[in-house]
Amino acid sequence: MAARFKMSRKGVGELLRSPGVQADLLRRAELIKAAAVAIAPVGGPGDPHAGAYKDSFKTSSRKRGGRRKDRATATVTNTSYYARWVEWGTERVPAHHVLLRAAESGGG
C-alpha cells in the first residue's frame, strides 16, 4: 500500500521558524563570515584604515525574516562605511567581491 502525505502549512511555518533551523543558519553565516575575513583586503602600510574592513564583519539571525517575515534568517554584513566600495569597486578601485566570493564558497 502506498504511503500518503498531507502537508501542513502551519507545520512547515513552525519548522522554518524553529530554533534548530535558526541555529543552523547562524552556523552557516559564521562559516561565510570566516571565509570573508580570510580573503578580505587589509590595505598597505600607509593605509589609515588598515585592517578596519576585515574587522567589521558581523553576523546576525532573526526568527522572522525574509520577504514575508515567515522564516528564520541569518545575515553576514560589513559595518565599515566603505564596504560597498570594496565589494563593488569604483572607477579607480577594482571590485573585490569579498562577500560574494565567501557566500559562493559556502563558508568552507
XYZ file of all heavy atoms in Angstrom:
816
model
N 0.838 -1.180 0.000
C 0.000 0.000 0.000
C 0.887 1.248 0.000
O 1.869 1.326 0.729
C -0.909 -0.029 1.224
C -1.770 1.182 1.346
S -2.922 0.949 2.685
C -4.051 2.196 2.272
N 0.556 2.208 -0.818
C 1.332 3.446 -0.930
C 1.088 4.335 0.284
O -0.013 4.411 0.810
C 0.938 4.192 -2.196
N 2.148 4.980 0.722
C 2.031 5.899 1.850
C 1.411 7.207 1.389
O 1.607 7.636 0.248
C 3.394 6.157 2.453
N 0.683 7.847 2.253
C 0.066 9.139 1.943
C 0.696 10.212 2.802
O 1.078 9.970 3.944
C -1.433 9.090 2.210
C -2.174 8.189 1.263
C -3.624 8.636 1.234
N -4.393 7.952 0.251
C -4.566 8.378 -0.985
N -3.992 9.467 -1.396
N -5.323 7.703 -1.814
N 0.780 11.396 2.242
C 1.342 12.535 2.970
C 0.464 13.747 2.730
O 0.105 14.052 1.599
C 2.768 12.819 2.479
C 3.342 14.085 3.015
C 3.793 14.162 4.318
C 3.421 15.213 2.221
C 4.318 15.335 4.820
C 3.942 16.392 2.711
C 4.393 16.452 4.018
N 0.115 14.424 3.788
C -0.647 15.664 3.671
C 0.156 16.750 4.368
O 0.393 16.679 5.575
C -2.021 15.523 4.314
C -2.846 16.800 4.215
C -4.306 16.504 4.475
C -5.142 17.741 4.596
N -5.198 18.600 3.448
N 0.596 17.710 3.600
C 1.416 18.779 4.140
C 0.573 19.739 4.975
O -0.523 20.119 4.599
C 2.083 19.558 3.009
C 3.047 20.607 3.513
S 3.815 21.542 2.193
C 2.552 22.748 1.892
N 1.142 20.140 6.084
C 0.511 21.133 6.942
C 1.270 22.448 6.776
O 2.445 22.549 7.143
C 0.571 20.678 8.402
O 0.306 21.752 9.276
N 0.630 23.462 6.213
C 1.289 24.763 6.025
C 1.728 25.349 7.367
O 2.781 25.946 7.472
C 0.368 25.722 5.292
C 0.123 25.300 3.842
C -0.841 26.228 3.136
N -0.301 27.529 2.839
C 0.454 27.814 1.791
N 0.761 26.874 0.937
N 0.860 29.050 1.580
N 0.910 25.165 8.374
C 1.254 25.658 9.701
C 2.503 24.940 10.223
O 3.398 25.560 10.790
C 0.080 25.453 10.655
C 0.341 25.968 12.048
C -0.858 25.751 12.952
C -0.528 26.193 14.367
N -1.579 25.868 15.311
N 2.562 23.645 10.013
C 3.715 22.873 10.457
C 4.994 23.261 9.736
O 6.062 23.347 10.351
N 4.893 23.503 8.436
C 6.073 23.942 7.671
C 6.532 25.308 8.177
O 7.728 25.551 8.348
C 5.770 23.976 6.157
C 6.905 24.635 5.383
C 5.522 22.577 5.640
N 5.582 26.203 8.459
C 5.931 27.515 9.002
C 6.630 27.402 10.342
O 7.620 28.099 10.612
N 6.139 26.520 11.205
C 6.781 26.304 12.508
C 8.192 25.757 12.330
O 9.111 26.147 13.047
C 5.944 25.361 13.357
C 4.657 25.980 13.865
C 3.770 24.987 14.595
O 4.214 23.839 14.855
O 2.625 25.355 14.892
N 8.367 24.860 11.377
C 9.700 24.318 11.107
C 10.650 25.411 10.627
O 11.789 25.503 11.096
C 9.613 23.206 10.062
C 10.958 22.630 9.597
C 11.656 21.915 10.742
C 10.757 21.698 8.422
N 10.193 26.262 9.713
C 11.054 27.320 9.173
C 11.437 28.357 10.227
O 12.423 29.071 10.054
C 10.368 28.009 7.995
C 10.242 27.182 6.729
C 9.415 27.925 5.688
C 11.596 26.815 6.181
N 10.673 28.459 11.317
C 10.988 29.399 12.394
C 11.575 28.713 13.624
O 11.809 29.353 14.636
C 9.730 30.158 12.803
C 9.221 31.120 11.763
C 8.028 31.901 12.257
N 6.884 31.069 12.590
C 5.969 30.629 11.721
N 6.085 30.954 10.449
N 4.961 29.888 12.104
N 11.843 27.431 13.532
C 12.285 26.673 14.698
C 13.696 27.079 15.128
O 14.511 27.529 14.316
C 12.249 25.175 14.399
O 13.260 24.827 13.482
N 13.985 26.927 16.422
C 15.329 27.248 16.917
C 16.423 26.437 16.237
O 17.533 26.936 16.033
C 15.253 26.913 18.407
C 13.807 26.982 18.753
C 13.081 26.554 17.513
N 16.136 25.200 15.852
C 17.144 24.387 15.174
C 17.521 24.940 13.809
O 18.701 24.988 13.453
N 16.526 25.365 13.040
C 16.789 25.963 11.731
C 17.535 27.280 11.904
O 18.510 27.563 11.208
C 15.483 26.152 10.931
C 15.711 26.998 9.691
C 14.898 24.805 10.547
N 17.106 28.090 12.862
C 17.770 29.372 13.108
C 19.227 29.156 13.523
O 20.132 29.851 13.046
C 17.025 30.152 14.183
C 17.539 31.558 14.366
C 16.720 32.363 15.369
O 15.783 31.858 15.967
N 17.082 33.605 15.535
N 19.487 28.172 14.379
C 20.859 27.886 14.817
C 21.726 27.412 13.652
O 22.893 27.809 13.537
C 20.842 26.843 15.929
N 21.172 26.576 12.778
C 21.950 26.090 11.637
C 22.253 27.222 10.659
O 23.354 27.298 10.112
C 21.238 24.953 10.924
C 22.129 24.307 9.884
O 23.237 23.859 10.253
O 21.738 24.264 8.705
N 21.294 28.098 10.435
C 21.542 29.245 9.555
C 22.626 30.148 10.131
O 23.491 30.638 9.399
C 20.256 30.033 9.329
C 19.199 29.358 8.458
C 17.910 30.167 8.471
C 19.703 29.171 7.043
N 22.598 30.363 11.439
C 23.631 31.192 12.070
C 24.996 30.514 11.977
O 26.007 31.169 11.736
C 23.269 31.494 13.522
C 24.205 32.451 14.251
C 24.284 33.798 13.529
C 23.756 32.643 15.676
N 25.034 29.194 12.134
C 26.291 28.451 11.996
C 26.863 28.636 10.587
O 28.059 28.903 10.407
C 26.057 26.964 12.277
C 27.312 26.104 12.142
C 26.973 24.629 12.242
N 26.158 24.162 11.132
C 26.630 23.834 9.926
N 27.911 23.970 9.647
N 25.810 23.402 8.985
N 26.003 28.535 9.590
C 26.456 28.723 8.208
C 26.907 30.161 7.956
O 27.880 30.403 7.240
C 25.349 28.340 7.237
C 25.069 26.867 7.213
C 23.819 26.552 6.420
N 23.463 25.172 6.504
C 23.621 24.296 5.520
N 24.137 24.678 4.375
N 23.264 23.049 5.679
N 26.216 31.124 8.556
C 26.616 32.530 8.421
C 27.992 32.756 9.043
O 28.811 33.505 8.499
C 25.582 33.446 9.060
N 28.265 32.104 10.160
C 29.588 32.224 10.790
C 30.682 31.646 9.891
O 31.784 32.187 9.821
C 29.595 31.532 12.155
C 28.769 32.225 13.219
C 29.331 33.563 13.677
O 30.526 33.847 13.437
O 28.565 34.327 14.273
N 30.385 30.558 9.182
C 31.355 29.989 8.235
C 31.617 30.949 7.080
O 32.760 31.114 6.648
C 30.850 28.646 7.704
C 30.813 27.482 8.685
C 30.132 26.277 8.061
C 32.213 27.135 9.142
N 30.564 31.574 6.582
C 30.713 32.540 5.498
C 31.491 33.754 5.987
O 32.369 34.274 5.290
C 29.342 32.930 4.922
C 28.750 31.725 4.183
C 29.436 34.142 4.002
C 27.312 31.886 3.763
N 31.217 34.204 7.216
C 31.970 35.319 7.793
C 33.455 34.969 7.890
O 34.321 35.777 7.533
C 31.423 35.658 9.174
C 32.222 36.708 9.901
C 31.738 36.881 11.322
C 32.707 37.707 12.117
N 32.379 37.738 13.537
N 33.773 33.763 8.347
C 35.173 33.348 8.461
C 35.852 33.331 7.094
O 37.008 33.752 6.960
C 35.254 31.973 9.120
N 35.133 32.867 6.068
C 35.699 32.868 4.714
C 35.923 34.293 4.223
O 36.938 34.591 3.591
C 34.775 32.115 3.758
N 34.985 35.200 4.535
C 35.127 36.602 4.115
C 36.315 37.262 4.810
O 37.077 38.000 4.180
C 33.840 37.369 4.408
N 36.479 36.994 6.097
C 37.613 37.560 6.839
C 38.926 37.047 6.258
O 39.905 37.793 6.137
C 37.492 37.236 8.346
C 38.779 37.538 9.088
C 36.333 38.015 8.962
N 38.948 35.780 5.863
C 40.176 35.191 5.325
C 40.604 35.825 4.007
O 41.803 35.917 3.729
C 39.992 33.688 5.149
N 39.643 36.277 3.176
C 40.009 36.824 1.858
C 39.885 38.344 1.795
O 40.134 38.933 0.745
C 39.158 36.189 0.743
C 37.669 36.483 0.925
C 39.422 34.698 0.643
C 36.798 36.009 -0.221
N 39.534 38.990 2.899
C 39.333 40.443 2.899
C 40.652 41.181 2.692
O 41.667 40.817 3.285
C 38.699 40.886 4.210
N 40.637 42.229 1.861
C 41.850 43.040 1.694
C 42.127 43.827 2.968
O 41.206 44.229 3.673
C 41.506 43.972 0.533
C 40.024 44.032 0.504
C 39.536 42.722 1.035
N 43.409 44.026 3.262
C 43.798 44.689 4.512
C 44.304 46.097 4.273
O 44.144 46.964 5.113
C 44.868 43.848 5.248
C 45.273 44.502 6.549
C 44.372 42.450 5.497
N 44.910 46.364 3.158
C 45.483 47.690 2.889
C 46.972 47.678 3.157
O 47.490 46.829 3.883
N 47.644 48.649 2.591
C 49.088 48.732 2.732
C 49.518 49.427 4.012
O 48.696 49.859 4.818
N 50.832 49.578 4.193
C 51.339 50.207 5.420
C 50.948 51.680 5.555
O 50.833 52.184 6.662
C 52.852 50.048 5.311
C 53.137 49.648 3.916
C 51.889 49.100 3.324
N 50.681 52.366 4.455
C 50.290 53.765 4.523
C 48.785 53.977 4.645
O 48.309 55.106 4.717
N 48.021 52.900 4.667
C 46.564 52.992 4.723
C 46.113 53.368 6.142
O 46.421 52.661 7.098
C 45.962 51.649 4.318
C 44.448 51.671 4.210
O 43.839 52.708 4.508
O 43.881 50.643 3.816
N 45.365 54.470 6.290
C 44.912 54.858 7.630
C 43.844 53.923 8.199
O 43.573 53.943 9.393
C 44.349 56.265 7.428
C 43.967 56.309 5.991
C 44.947 55.423 5.275
N 43.235 53.093 7.345
C 42.185 52.174 7.795
C 42.634 50.713 7.685
O 41.798 49.832 7.562
C 40.919 52.353 6.945
C 40.417 53.744 6.890
N 39.836 54.374 7.965
C 40.419 54.654 5.891
C 39.491 55.590 7.626
N 39.840 55.796 6.373
N 43.922 50.461 7.728
C 44.425 49.095 7.534
C 43.784 48.129 8.525
O 43.823 48.328 9.733
C 45.938 49.072 7.690
N 43.132 47.096 7.993
C 42.505 46.072 8.828
C 41.112 46.403 9.321
O 40.434 45.541 9.876
N 40.661 47.641 9.145
C 39.339 48.029 9.653
C 38.224 47.294 8.916
O 37.249 46.853 9.533
C 39.143 49.534 9.538
N 38.361 47.148 7.605
C 37.343 46.423 6.831
C 37.269 44.974 7.290
O 36.190 44.435 7.511
C 37.684 46.498 5.337
C 36.770 45.691 4.457
C 35.499 46.144 4.146
C 37.174 44.468 3.928
C 34.645 45.403 3.339
C 36.341 43.727 3.125
C 35.076 44.195 2.833
O 34.236 43.458 2.043
N 38.404 44.362 7.452
C 38.467 42.962 7.851
C 37.839 42.740 9.227
O 37.208 41.717 9.480
C 39.929 42.516 7.863
C 40.134 41.058 8.065
C 41.605 40.737 7.913
C 41.759 39.277 7.612
N 42.973 38.943 6.947
N 37.974 43.708 10.127
C 37.441 43.591 11.486
C 35.971 43.974 11.593
O 35.405 43.901 12.685
C 38.251 44.468 12.439
C 39.692 44.000 12.584
O 39.942 42.797 12.359
O 40.558 44.833 12.921
N 35.340 44.399 10.515
C 33.971 44.920 10.569
C 32.894 43.937 10.114
O 31.743 44.328 9.962
C 33.878 46.194 9.722
O 34.722 47.189 10.253
N 33.218 42.678 9.928
C 32.209 41.687 9.546
C 31.400 41.280 10.770
O 31.951 41.040 11.839
C 32.853 40.450 8.909
C 33.339 40.696 7.516
C 34.676 40.942 7.268
C 32.458 40.696 6.452
C 35.132 41.177 5.992
C 32.906 40.934 5.164
C 34.240 41.177 4.940
N 30.090 41.197 10.612
C 29.172 40.828 11.696
C 28.158 39.818 11.166
O 27.809 39.826 9.989
C 28.402 42.048 12.216
C 29.254 43.238 12.597
C 29.959 43.018 13.902
C 30.716 44.273 14.266
N 32.062 44.047 14.635
N 27.669 38.973 12.055
C 26.581 38.056 11.712
C 25.397 38.342 12.623
O 25.560 38.803 13.750
C 26.983 36.579 11.881
O 27.392 36.359 13.221
C 28.078 36.191 10.929
N 24.216 38.072 12.126
C 23.002 38.211 12.934
C 21.985 37.202 12.430
O 22.075 36.710 11.305
C 22.440 39.625 12.837
O 22.061 39.924 11.515
N 21.020 36.889 13.284
C 19.945 35.997 12.865
C 18.634 36.500 13.442
O 18.610 37.199 14.456
C 20.207 34.555 13.309
O 20.119 34.452 14.706
N 17.563 36.152 12.772
C 16.217 36.548 13.193
C 15.290 35.348 13.071
O 15.436 34.541 12.166
C 15.684 37.659 12.299
C 16.502 38.923 12.333
C 16.032 39.914 11.320
N 14.611 40.194 11.550
C 13.968 41.195 10.997
N 14.595 41.995 10.175
N 12.697 41.393 11.234
N 14.336 35.275 13.972
C 13.341 34.211 13.900
C 12.358 34.470 12.762
O 11.899 33.552 12.102
C 12.587 34.114 15.216
C 11.596 32.981 15.263
C 10.951 32.868 16.623
C 9.965 31.720 16.645
N 9.356 31.557 17.956
N 12.043 35.749 12.530
C 11.106 36.111 11.458
C 11.804 37.059 10.497
O 11.959 38.236 10.775
C 9.854 36.762 12.038
C 8.978 35.776 12.766
C 7.637 36.408 13.099
N 6.711 35.423 13.608
C 5.857 34.742 12.865
N 5.805 34.931 11.572
N 5.038 33.873 13.407
N 12.231 36.532 9.375
C 12.904 37.338 8.361
C 12.406 36.952 6.984
O 11.390 36.279 6.841
N 13.134 37.367 5.995
C 12.721 37.100 4.624
C 11.691 38.112 4.163
O 11.259 38.988 4.904
N 11.306 37.993 2.924
C 10.372 38.949 2.325
C 9.035 38.968 3.046
O 8.435 40.010 3.257
C 10.185 38.615 0.851
C 9.383 39.620 0.084
C 9.447 39.361 -1.403
N 9.065 38.020 -1.752
C 7.947 37.703 -2.401
N 7.129 38.643 -2.785
N 7.675 36.455 -2.686
N 8.558 37.801 3.439
C 7.239 37.715 4.083
C 7.323 37.644 5.609
O 6.302 37.474 6.263
C 6.505 36.486 3.582
C 6.193 36.551 2.117
C 5.434 35.322 1.715
N 5.265 35.304 0.273
C 5.031 34.208 -0.414
N 4.923 33.051 0.195
N 4.879 34.270 -1.713
N 8.523 37.718 6.157
C 8.729 37.624 7.613
C 8.154 36.320 8.158
O 7.569 36.281 9.231
C 8.094 38.819 8.344
C 8.506 40.165 7.809
C 9.925 40.478 8.160
C 10.277 41.881 7.761
N 11.386 41.956 6.870
N 8.352 35.230 7.413
C 7.744 33.961 7.799
C 8.759 32.846 8.050
O 8.386 31.699 8.200
C 6.756 33.501 6.725
C 7.416 33.251 5.382
O 8.573 33.663 5.193
O 6.763 32.650 4.512
N 10.049 33.193 8.120
C 11.061 32.163 8.304
C 12.285 32.722 9.008
O 12.502 33.936 9.015
C 11.463 31.581 6.958
C 12.130 32.607 6.056
C 12.212 32.180 4.618
N 10.869 32.070 4.110
C 10.466 31.172 3.226
N 11.321 30.349 2.703
N 9.218 31.122 2.826
N 13.080 31.840 9.569
C 14.332 32.247 10.203
C 15.333 32.657 9.118
O 15.338 32.087 8.022
C 14.891 31.103 11.033
N 16.145 33.647 9.430
C 17.180 34.091 8.502
C 18.464 34.367 9.264
O 18.451 34.600 10.463
C 16.780 35.378 7.755
O 16.577 36.416 8.705
C 15.546 35.185 6.913
N 19.573 34.345 8.564
C 20.866 34.744 9.106
C 21.541 35.625 8.058
O 21.391 35.395 6.854
C 21.725 33.530 9.427
N 22.258 36.628 8.527
C 22.848 37.618 7.634
C 24.308 37.857 8.004
O 24.649 37.890 9.182
C 22.081 38.953 7.748
O 20.702 38.696 7.584
C 22.534 39.946 6.708
N 25.137 38.037 6.987
C 26.526 38.457 7.173
C 26.651 39.842 6.565
O 26.274 40.047 5.401
C 27.524 37.496 6.490
C 28.956 37.939 6.737
C 27.309 36.069 6.943
N 27.128 40.800 7.329
C 27.288 42.171 6.841
C 28.663 42.702 7.220
O 29.350 42.140 8.072
C 26.224 43.117 7.436
O 26.314 43.062 8.855
C 24.836 42.742 6.995
N 29.024 43.800 6.593
C 30.225 44.528 6.965
C 29.790 45.940 7.309
O 29.137 46.604 6.506
C 31.244 44.539 5.828
C 32.575 45.085 6.280
O 32.682 46.242 6.662
N 33.581 44.243 6.273
N 30.156 46.401 8.494
C 29.668 47.680 9.001
C 30.564 48.874 8.669
O 30.220 49.998 9.031
C 29.480 47.612 10.527
O 30.726 47.261 11.139
C 28.424 46.589 10.888
N 31.676 48.669 7.994
C 32.519 49.812 7.637
C 31.812 50.654 6.571
O 31.111 50.117 5.713
C 33.888 49.363 7.146
O 33.780 48.682 5.937
N 31.981 51.956 6.645
C 31.254 52.839 5.732
C 31.678 52.669 4.279
O 30.924 52.990 3.365
C 31.401 54.307 6.161
C 32.763 54.908 5.891
C 33.021 55.568 4.693
C 33.789 54.816 6.810
C 34.268 56.108 4.430
C 35.031 55.362 6.577
C 35.267 56.007 5.387
O 36.492 56.542 5.130
N 32.838 52.135 4.032
C 33.318 51.979 2.656
C 33.208 50.539 2.158
O 33.763 50.188 1.116
C 34.771 52.451 2.537
C 35.718 51.851 3.542
C 36.375 50.673 3.268
C 35.949 52.450 4.768
C 37.237 50.104 4.172
C 36.804 51.902 5.687
C 37.448 50.720 5.388
O 38.297 50.160 6.301
N 32.443 49.700 2.858
C 32.315 48.288 2.474
C 31.750 48.131 1.064
O 32.177 47.266 0.308
C 31.446 47.553 3.479
N 30.790 48.972 0.699
C 30.199 48.838 -0.645
C 31.222 49.119 -1.731
O 31.164 48.532 -2.812
C 28.985 49.751 -0.780
C 29.302 51.215 -0.785
C 28.047 52.062 -0.988
N 28.241 53.348 -0.375
C 27.726 53.720 0.789
N 26.958 52.912 1.449
N 27.973 54.900 1.282
N 32.178 50.004 -1.474
C 33.193 50.306 -2.475
C 34.201 49.166 -2.587
O 34.719 48.898 -3.665
C 33.884 51.624 -2.155
C 32.935 52.774 -2.163
C 31.970 53.038 -3.099
C 32.808 53.785 -1.177
N 31.268 54.164 -2.747
C 31.768 54.665 -1.567
C 33.473 54.067 0.012
C 31.380 55.759 -0.835
C 33.087 55.173 0.744
C 32.046 56.007 0.318
N 34.495 48.512 -1.456
C 35.390 47.346 -1.503
C 34.700 46.213 -2.263
O 35.304 45.551 -3.097
C 35.785 46.888 -0.083
C 36.598 45.601 -0.139
C 36.561 47.983 0.639
N 33.429 46.005 -1.961
C 32.681 44.908 -2.587
C 32.476 45.153 -4.085
O 32.743 44.288 -4.899
C 31.334 44.738 -1.891
C 30.542 43.554 -2.357
C 31.086 42.207 -1.914
O 31.888 42.123 -0.979
O 30.710 41.213 -2.544
N 31.991 46.330 -4.454
C 31.587 46.595 -5.842
C 32.570 47.446 -6.637
O 32.429 47.570 -7.848
C 30.206 47.261 -5.875
C 29.188 46.383 -5.247
C 28.551 46.583 -4.059
C 28.716 45.131 -5.735
N 27.711 45.532 -3.787
C 27.782 44.632 -4.804
C 28.983 44.385 -6.879
C 27.126 43.423 -4.980
C 28.320 43.179 -7.045
C 27.412 42.710 -6.106
N 33.554 48.060 -5.982
C 34.566 48.846 -6.672
C 34.085 50.242 -7.043
O 32.929 50.605 -6.840
N 35.005 51.019 -7.575
C 34.717 52.359 -8.080
C 35.397 52.478 -9.435
O 35.973 51.508 -9.934
C 35.262 53.456 -7.130
O 36.696 53.402 -7.126
C 34.731 53.294 -5.722
N 35.375 53.676 -10.004
C 36.058 53.824 -11.295
C 37.579 53.733 -11.152
O 38.286 53.471 -12.110
C 35.657 55.117 -12.011
C 35.916 56.382 -11.251
C 34.747 56.826 -10.374
O 33.658 56.261 -10.471
O 34.953 57.750 -9.583
N 38.092 53.938 -9.925
C 39.539 53.861 -9.708
C 39.989 52.609 -8.961
O 41.161 52.268 -8.987
C 40.007 55.086 -8.923
C 40.029 56.340 -9.756
C 40.633 57.463 -8.989
N 39.585 58.450 -8.781
C 39.557 59.332 -7.814
N 40.506 59.368 -6.934
N 38.583 60.193 -7.726
N 39.072 51.958 -8.268
C 39.412 50.782 -7.448
C 38.634 49.577 -7.971
O 37.418 49.659 -8.113
C 39.060 51.043 -5.961
C 39.369 49.828 -5.115
C 39.785 52.270 -5.448
N 39.308 48.474 -8.249
C 38.584 47.299 -8.744
C 37.723 46.671 -7.651
O 38.026 46.768 -6.466
C 39.709 46.353 -9.166
C 40.878 46.753 -8.345
C 40.753 48.235 -8.135
N 36.658 46.007 -8.050
C 35.771 45.319 -7.111
C 36.466 44.079 -6.559
O 37.134 43.357 -7.290
C 34.485 44.931 -7.813
N 36.308 43.851 -5.258
C 36.894 42.663 -4.628
C 35.868 41.546 -4.438
O 36.248 40.388 -4.311
C 37.519 43.023 -3.274
C 38.735 43.866 -3.397
N 39.974 43.345 -3.670
C 38.903 45.193 -3.302
C 40.866 44.311 -3.729
N 40.234 45.459 -3.510
N 34.587 41.870 -4.381
C 33.508 40.885 -4.222
C 33.781 39.911 -3.075
O 33.633 38.699 -3.222
C 33.279 40.116 -5.519
C 32.886 40.973 -6.674
N 31.724 41.712 -6.686
C 33.517 41.232 -7.840
C 31.661 42.383 -7.825
N 32.725 42.112 -8.542
N 34.158 40.440 -1.921
C 34.520 39.606 -0.776
C 33.333 38.781 -0.290
O 33.423 37.555 -0.169
C 35.090 40.478 0.371
C 35.362 39.644 1.601
C 36.345 41.193 -0.085
N 32.210 39.426 -0.002
C 31.046 38.682 0.494
C 30.477 37.748 -0.569
O 30.035 36.646 -0.255
C 29.975 39.638 0.998
C 30.216 40.195 2.395
C 29.195 41.273 2.739
C 30.173 39.097 3.428
N 30.493 38.176 -1.801
C 30.008 37.321 -2.886
C 30.836 36.047 -2.970
O 30.292 34.938 -3.012
C 30.048 38.070 -4.214
C 29.664 37.274 -5.454
C 28.202 36.873 -5.391
C 29.951 38.071 -6.709
N 32.157 36.184 -2.975
C 33.025 35.009 -3.073
C 32.902 34.118 -1.837
O 32.925 32.887 -1.941
C 34.476 35.424 -3.290
C 34.698 36.040 -4.649
C 36.162 36.328 -4.929
N 36.651 37.372 -4.034
C 37.890 37.423 -3.554
N 38.772 36.487 -3.870
N 38.275 38.407 -2.762
N 32.759 34.733 -0.656
C 32.619 33.940 0.575
C 31.301 33.165 0.564
O 31.255 31.997 0.945
C 32.676 34.858 1.791
N 30.224 33.809 0.103
C 28.928 33.134 0.042
C 28.954 32.011 -0.993
O 28.386 30.934 -0.771
C 27.827 34.125 -0.277
N 29.596 32.256 -2.125
C 29.688 31.223 -3.156
C 30.489 30.009 -2.687
O 30.206 28.889 -3.074
C 30.299 31.786 -4.427
C 29.356 32.653 -5.224
C 30.009 33.275 -6.445
O 31.273 33.309 -6.522
O 29.267 33.730 -7.324
N 31.487 30.246 -1.830
C 32.282 29.138 -1.313
C 31.503 28.334 -0.278
O 31.915 27.244 0.103
C 33.583 29.645 -0.701
O 33.341 30.246 0.566
N 30.395 28.879 0.185
C 29.599 28.182 1.193
C 30.221 28.249 2.560
O 29.814 27.569 3.483
N 31.223 29.085 2.718
C 31.848 29.241 4.004
C 32.887 28.182 4.316
O 33.336 28.052 5.435
N 33.290 27.436 3.361
C 34.299 26.451 3.710
C 34.766 25.782 2.519
O 35.410 25.024 2.161
